[in-house]
């Protein structure tokens, strides 16, 4: 029996979560889904964007599924609180194109690994007394850098990929990114069969558009990883198809890359595939690789057939139509 904390959140979060859970429920696995709250709606109801019970439940579960939340000014970001509390330091974001999806690059498969616990997301910010200056701290530690870089090389080695690319801005951020880059080449020595290279983040923003097929695994700090992964999602069909896993030594938290999409929330037309593929990543984490792969095959089949699709992919179907199409495909492949 797997205890899974589910946090739908705000906007399209609960819709895509419903689709993913419907799929997990047909597998021959035993899940106990524990529904918890976080986000803007939760703040209105409970006075906090992330109640203690939500954090406790996530800590006690085998894994957590997270939909999306709407950010509230001057309030804690639930996803950042969860990532820190669960110490899920590795944010693994696959970038993959699918047959049937009209996109810039039809044959891509690479991975962005984003450091998840520090950098500019430490939330150490203040306004000076004169209120004319605001300051944000960017913290890079040896410990967190070693962990994320080693995590990336391990993933690359397990997946038999050739190269890890380190992204930084060490020409300007000489201390912080200087440290990150130095640690990168130190760890790279432990993986002699994997090629190591580095680029500045501004150049990388261009290379991702010009030659994305050149990359296998990309490792970078928190903010750069956040930005580059949305850019990368744009190469392969958009945010509706982009899953992610937040992985630590003990815990795993799985969520689509997208946010709460207020522009389409409530219409039930959000694409659930990013959330469904995130739940497949959760099954990988739980070592249920067979079911994880079957879900991916079922999703690929739905996309390939192009019969059912939400508006972001040019269709006119609803969130649950897509989820049900995946269920039907899954029944054929299980
Ligand atoms: P967003 O990712 O919510 O939406 C960007 C665009 O992509 C919108 O046009 C949206 O309609 C579309 N889109 C996103 N997911 C989609 C899906 N599954 N199916 C179809 N279309 C989809 O980013 P945005 O608009 O910048 O942020 C909205 C809110 O979400 C903000 O409050 C933001 O802070 C929050 N946010 C939360 C995240 C999280 O919960 N982890 C991550 C990113 C943003
Ligand atoms: Mg983002």
């Amino acid at each position: 029996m797997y205890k899974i904390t589910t946090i739908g959140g705000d906007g399209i979060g609960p819709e895509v979560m419903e689709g993913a859970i419907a799929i997990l429920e047909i597998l021959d696995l035993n899940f106990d889904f524990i529904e918890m709250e976080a986000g803007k709606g939760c703040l209105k109801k409970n006075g906090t964007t992330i109640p203690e019970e939500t954090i406790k439940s996530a800590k006690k579960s085998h894994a957590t599924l997270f939909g999306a939340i709407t950010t509230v000014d001057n309030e804690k970001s639930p996803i950042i609180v969860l990532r820190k509390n669960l110490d899920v330091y590795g944010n693994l974001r696959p970038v993959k194109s699918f047959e049937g999806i009209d996109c810039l690059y039809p044959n891509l498969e690479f991975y962005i690994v984003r450091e998840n616990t520090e950098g500019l997301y430490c939330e150490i910010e203040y306004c000076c007394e004169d209120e004319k200056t605001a300051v944000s701290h960017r913290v890079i530690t040896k410990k967190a850098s070693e962990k994320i870089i080693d995590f990336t090389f391990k993933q690359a080695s397990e997946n038999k990929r050739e190269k890890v690319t380190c992204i930084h801005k060490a020409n300007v951020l000489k201390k912080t990114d200087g440290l990150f880059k130095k640690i990168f080449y130190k760890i790279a020595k432990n993986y002699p069969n994997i090629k190591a290279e580095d680029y500045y983040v501004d150049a990388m923003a261009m290379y991702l558009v010009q030659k994305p097929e050149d990359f296998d695994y990309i490792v970078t700090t928190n903010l750069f990883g956040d930005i580059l992964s949305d850019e990368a999602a744009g190469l392969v069909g958009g945010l509706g198809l982009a899953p992610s896993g937040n992985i630590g030594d003990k815990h795993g938290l799985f969520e689509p890359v997208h946010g709460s999409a207020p522009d389409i929330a409530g219409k039930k037309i959000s694409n659930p595939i990013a959330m469904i593929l995130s739940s497949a990543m959760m099954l990988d984490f739980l070592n249920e690789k067979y079911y994880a792969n079957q879900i991916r095959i079922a999703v690929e089949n739905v996309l390939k057939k192009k019969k059912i699709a939400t508006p972001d992919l040019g269709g006119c179907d609803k969130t649950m139509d897509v989820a049900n199409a995946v269920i039907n495909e899954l029944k054929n492949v299980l």
Side-chain angles (χ1 to χ4, degrees):
M1 152 89 81
Y2 292 114
K3 270 188 166 202
I4 307 294
T5 293
T6 67
I7 304 166
D10 302 310
I12 64 168
E15 305 170 9
V16 294
M17 182 69 78
E18 186 190 348
I21 290 177
I23 288 159
L24 291 172
E25 274 177 338
I26 75 146
L27 302 178
D28 202 8
L29 292 171
N30 204 349
F31 290 110
D32 178 13
F33 292 110
I34 306 148
E35 203 180 328
M36 286 285 149
E37 291 176 303
K40 190 175 177 182
C42 174
L43 175 69
K44 275 196 197 134
K45 200 169 143 202
N46 305 308
T48 170
T49 52
I50 174 125
E52 252 334 287
E53 304 89 79
T54 300
I55 300 171
K56 269 193 202 141
S57 174
K59 278 188 172 167
K60 280 196 294 194
S61 297
H62 291 96
T64 298
L65 286 175
F66 186 93
I69 51 87
T70 301
T71 304
V72 187
D73 284 348
N74 301 319
E75 290 290 337
K76 280 189 271 187
S77 160
I79 188 67
I80 295 180
V81 170
L82 276 169
R83 285 172 183 157
K84 283 183 187 155
N85 270 276
L86 299 175
D87 193 22
V88 282
Y89 54 86
N91 190 187
L92 181 62
R93 297 183 152 186
V95 180
K96 185 179 182 328
S97 28
F98 295 94
E99 203 183 325
I101 296 297
D102 192 15
C103 66
L104 293 170
Y105 288 92
N107 290 308
L108 274 188
E109 185 170 356
F110 67 88
Y111 297 81
I112 295 180
V113 182
R114 160 191 179 194
E115 203 292 321
N116 232 357
T117 59
E118 54 180 28
L120 266 170
Y121 288 59
C122 283
E123 297 184 294
I124 311 171
E125 279 199 312
Y126 54 87
C127 286
C128 297
E129 264 175 30
D130 63 4
E131 301 213 332
K132 288 183 183 156
T133 309
V135 178
S136 188
H137 285 243
R138 183 171 189 271
V139 180
I140 301 290
T141 64
K142 179 171 180 272
K143 191 174 163 205
S145 304
E146 281 175 350
K147 269 165 100 170
I148 193 70
I149 292 164
D150 193 60
F151 173 89
T152 310
F153 274 99
K154 267 204 191 97
Q155 290 273 334
S157 156
E158 277 165 21
N159 278 323
K160 306 204 175 4
R161 299 294 291 249
E162 282 172 17
K163 187 166 75 172
V164 177
T165 307
C166 172
I167 301 303
H168 59 82
K169 188 71 185 169
N171 50 342
V172 177
L173 305 167
K174 293 190 175 71
K175 300 278 184 243
T176 48
D177 273 8
L179 179 64
F180 192 75
K181 182 178 161 187
K182 192 171 129 201
I183 293 170
F184 173 74
Y185 282 109
K186 189 187 87 179
I187 304 261
K189 286 193 188 135
N190 301 334
Y191 298 86
N193 298 327
I194 297 177
K195 195 178 160 208
E197 65 174 13
D198 71 284
Y199 287 122
Y200 296 127
V201 64
D202 40 357
M204 185 61 176
M206 180 183 71
Y207 293 144
L208 269 188
V209 175
Q210 282 184 335
K211 51 168 189 176
E213 59 285 301
D214 241 46
F215 302 106
D216 289 322
Y217 274 80
I218 294 162
V219 64
T220 189
T221 51
N222 212 332
L223 178 66
F224 296 160
D226 193 4
I227 297 170
L228 292 179
S229 51
D230 274 35
E231 183 188 350
L235 302 174
V236 293
L239 285 170
L241 299 174
S244 88
N246 302 275
I247 299 166
D249 296 331
K250 272 216 291 274
H251 299 289
L253 167 73
F254 299 85
E255 50 158 346
V257 172
H258 65 71
S260 60
D263 52 340
I264 55 166
K267 296 183 185 159
K268 308 231 175 211
I269 53 162
S270 57
N271 190 344
I273 288 178
M275 185 77 232
I276 294 167
L277 292 173
S278 302
S279 69
M281 291 179 78
M282 177 185 82
L283 294 178
D284 279 331
F285 172 79
L286 296 172
N287 230 351
E288 297 290 353
K289 301 213 185 268
Y290 168 75
Y291 291 107
N293 281 333
Q294 299 311 93
I295 289 181
R296 282 189 278 262
I297 291 169
V299 166
E300 281 166 20
N301 288 346
V302 170
L303 294 175
K304 211 184 315 182
K305 288 183 181 166
K306 290 178 155 189
K307 277 198 193 133
I308 307 274
T310 43
D312 57 309
L313 299 181
C316 50
D317 297 299
K318 303 245 172 197
T319 309
M320 284 312 287
D321 296 331
V322 174
N324 287 326
V326 175
I327 289 175
N328 286 336
E329 287 295 336
L330 201 49
K331 285 180 180 159
N332 291 333
V333 296
L334 278 176

